[in-house]
Amino acid sequence: MKQDWKAVGSYGTVGLEVVLCIMLGLFVGRWLDAKLGTDPFLSVLWFFFGLGAACKAVHRAWKEMQIAAAREEREQGNPAPMFDDRKARQDERADDDRRTDSSDVVPYPDERPPAKEHDER
């Protein structure tokens, strides 16, 4: 359980890292624009530098998550997925369709036919 909270803490900061990278790039660009008088060019340039740093942070976290998931699968021996190829899923769907196409299956088993209002004898 402690391991789960550790993962939440380490991967939960990715959003904060993305925002900080972009904002830091934007503020550095604005500061340079104010110093050099090149308004808005350096702001835009540094915004994209920050965006690139944010993308790199997300990619790094994604790779770490994949490595951790692979390690856990090796250690805990997770079972193989139920359907590992499309052919098996298509065969399963075809079997289900054949079962429901039979005429002896009642479409709504809980529904009863409506009662006749007048019983004619």
Side-chain angles (χ1 to χ4, degrees):
M1 183 70 174
K2 192 174 185 179
Q3 185 87 10
D4 295 337
W5 285 108
K6 183 180 177 185
V8 167
S10 64
Y11 300 131
T13 59
V14 173
L16 182 64
E17 190 173 358
V18 166
V19 170
L20 288 177
C21 286
I22 293 172
M23 295 303 290
L24 183 67
L26 182 64
F27 288 134
V28 167
R30 289 185 57 139
W31 180 77
L32 286 173
D33 277 338
K35 289 287 186 186
L36 301 174
T38 58
D39 203 31
F41 298 112
L42 291 178
S43 295
V44 171
L45 178 69
W46 280 88
F47 171 79
F48 284 112
F49 284 158
L51 192 62
C55 289
K56 184 177 179 182
V58 169
H59 186 262
R60 177 187 44 83
W62 176 51
K63 287 293 189 183
E64 287 176 4
M65 285 182 208
Q66 285 182 333
I67 291 169
R71 184 182 65 244
E72 287 176 8
E73 285 180 10
R74 279 193 314 273
E75 291 172 357
Q76 297 175 3
N78 288 345
M82 289 180 61
F83 298 106
D84 51 350
D85 64 319
R86 286 191 188 152
K87 180 69 175 154
R89 279 183 275 170
Q90 288 172 349
D91 291 343
E92 184 70 26
R93 286 186 193 137
D95 290 342
D96 288 342
D97 289 342
R98 276 188 232 118
R99 281 187 222 128
T100 58
D101 287 343
S102 64
S103 61
D104 58 286
V105 176
V106 179
Y108 300 102
D110 294 338
E111 260 187 40
R112 295 183 180 169
K116 295 181 181 177
E117 288 184 28
H118 302 287
D119 193 6
E120 298 176 29
R121 292 186 190 200

